[in-house]
Amino acid sequence: MASEKVMTGDPIEFATGMKKLLNNKDHSDIKFLIGPNKKVVFAHRCILSARCTVFKAMFSDLSQKNGTADNSSFVLSDMNLDVFLAMLEFLYTNCITLTPKIAIEMLATSLEYGLDDMRKLCCEYLEENLGVQNACDCMQAAVTYGQEELKKSSLTFIEQHTDNVFKSKAFQELSEDALVEIMKSDKLQMDEADILRYIKEWAAVNSAVMKKAVSEVTKHVIQWVRLPILSPQEIEKLEKDNKKDHIIPVDLFSSAWKFHALNQPDPNNALAKKRAGTTPRDHHKNLS
């Protein structure tokens, strides 16, 4: 006697058929009012409930309050229409059409609605489409939403294209936490003097936006600047310049001068280590 076996049909054909139900008023029993303009989107309660626990709970709550969820409306005024339709496409077809414009927002939505497979697809798309203009945005998203693989991929791209990425507008929009993750890297293809210059530009922009002192904006990021790999002449000049903006704490200068005074490797000092793009200096023979 033959054993029971699940035979799988063509998933593309199934997805194509299911997509015809997307935002289709026929037989729909729920509608959403999306965005500030309250654009109407029709949906099917049974499909959304089966595919998403958030929607299942939402409809259950409504049924308990009103006795039925049929023909009810949900207002999602903060939701982007394209993002919502893309999410519905995934729920109906298990496929999703992503674009650079919505991919990061789709990642956030996948986490909000507990759609782990959609999260994976969003991360995969972002990793495959990393570029100079979006690398910082992807790094920011990875840090914000705790996506380690996306963070690794984004950091690798930034390490390989440091100069162009640091020049991008998105670099100025990085959060403190995201910039710290970049500053920890040994593989940045840029000299420390130039890195410090870009950090100061980032700080000036964010100081104006956040209406905070530059020194406050940079207090965590600046700790990762590697002063010991700069020459004594460069450090001396930085000290003079620092009297104006007070970006660099005194203890960082003290540590740098101590390294130069001892004139020997310090394997315990993470800041006394060259990056991949560090310009050679005479004292680098003493670096760990």
Side-chain angles (χ1 to χ4, degrees):
M1 184 176 179
S3 60
E4 181 179 297
K5 181 181 179 181
V6 176
M7 306 297 290
T8 304
D10 185 352
I12 300 300
E13 183 177 348
F14 173 79
T16 301
M18 288 296 293
K19 196 170 183 178
K20 294 176 182 178
L21 294 175
L22 187 61
N23 198 15
N24 189 332
K25 187 176 181 180
D26 292 343
H27 308 298
S28 68
D29 56 2
I30 201 86
K31 65 181 178 181
F32 295 87
L33 305 179
I34 305 299
N37 296 325
K38 296 185 178 180
K39 295 287 186 180
V40 177
V41 175
F42 297 99
H44 304 80
R45 185 161 47 103
C46 59
I47 295 176
L48 300 191
S49 296
R51 294 277 287 151
C52 177
T53 56
V54 172
F55 281 122
K56 183 177 181 180
M58 187 185 299
F59 300 149
S60 176
D61 287 346
L62 185 65
S63 296
Q64 291 177 9
K65 291 178 182 178
N66 300 341
T68 178
D70 293 345
N71 301 314
S72 298
S73 298
F74 286 88
V75 179
L76 300 176
S77 56
D78 294 332
M79 177 70 78
N80 177 293
L81 179 61
D82 292 337
V83 169
F84 187 72
L85 290 174
M87 178 173 64
L88 290 191
E89 178 191 2
F90 174 77
L91 293 177
Y92 277 73
T93 70
N94 212 39
C95 303
I96 186 169
T97 304
L98 293 171
T99 67
K101 185 178 179 181
I102 67 169
I104 289 177
E105 195 171 350
M106 289 307 308
L107 172 58
T109 302
S110 71
L111 294 168
E112 181 180 355
Y113 283 82
L115 301 172
D116 195 56
D117 285 345
M118 191 171 88
R119 175 194 64 81
K120 293 175 183 177
L121 293 175
C122 292
C123 287
E124 182 180 338
Y125 175 87
L126 291 169
E127 290 175 38
E128 290 177 354
N129 290 277
L130 279 166
V132 169
Q133 298 306 318
N134 74 343
C136 288
D137 292 333
C138 291
M139 185 67 178
Q140 183 63 64
V143 171
T144 301
Y145 303 122
Q147 303 302 302
E148 287 299 318
E149 290 303 315
L150 178 59
K151 185 172 79 171
K152 291 177 183 177
S153 298
S154 301
L155 183 57
T156 297
F157 185 92
I158 293 169
E159 290 167 343
Q160 295 170 348
H161 305 85
T162 309
D163 188 61
N164 288 329
V165 171
F166 276 39
K167 289 177 180 176
S168 69
K169 180 183 177 184
F171 179 81
Q172 305 288 355
E173 298 171 353
L174 282 167
S175 72
E176 188 177 49
D177 290 341
L179 186 50
V180 164
E181 292 299 315
I182 295 171
M183 289 292 291
K184 291 178 182 179
S185 173
D186 295 332
K187 298 179 182 180
L188 295 178
Q189 294 286 342
M190 183 178 286
D191 185 64
E192 206 67 20
D194 293 321
I195 289 175
L196 180 56
R197 177 167 56 84
Y198 280 109
I199 293 301
K200 288 185 175 182
E201 291 176 3
W202 169 88
V205 171
N206 284 270
S207 172
V209 171
M210 300 168 67
K211 293 181 171 50
K212 292 183 178 180
V214 173
S215 57
E216 186 177 355
V217 170
T218 59
K219 62 182 178 181
H220 295 301
V221 174
I222 206 69
Q223 299 292 332
W224 296 94
V225 174
R226 303 182 181 187
L227 290 187
I229 70 177
L230 300 177
S231 69
Q233 294 79 13
E234 291 173 303
I235 297 173
E236 185 177 3
K237 184 178 185 304
L238 283 175
E239 277 191 304
K240 291 179 181 178
D241 294 341
N242 201 57
K243 292 178 181 178
K244 304 173 186 176
D245 49 36
H246 304 289
I247 288 179
I248 305 174
V250 173
D251 64 310
L252 290 185
F253 283 116
S254 299
S255 178
W257 284 124
K258 180 180 179 181
F259 172 81
H260 281 279
L262 293 174
N263 199 32
Q264 61 184 14
D266 184 1
N268 296 318
N269 187 353
L271 301 183
K273 185 177 181 180
K274 293 185 293 183
R275 301 185 197 266
T278 300
T279 301
R281 294 168 173 81
D282 291 340
H283 74 288
H284 285 175
K285 61 181 180 293
N286 300 320
L287 295 176
S288 56

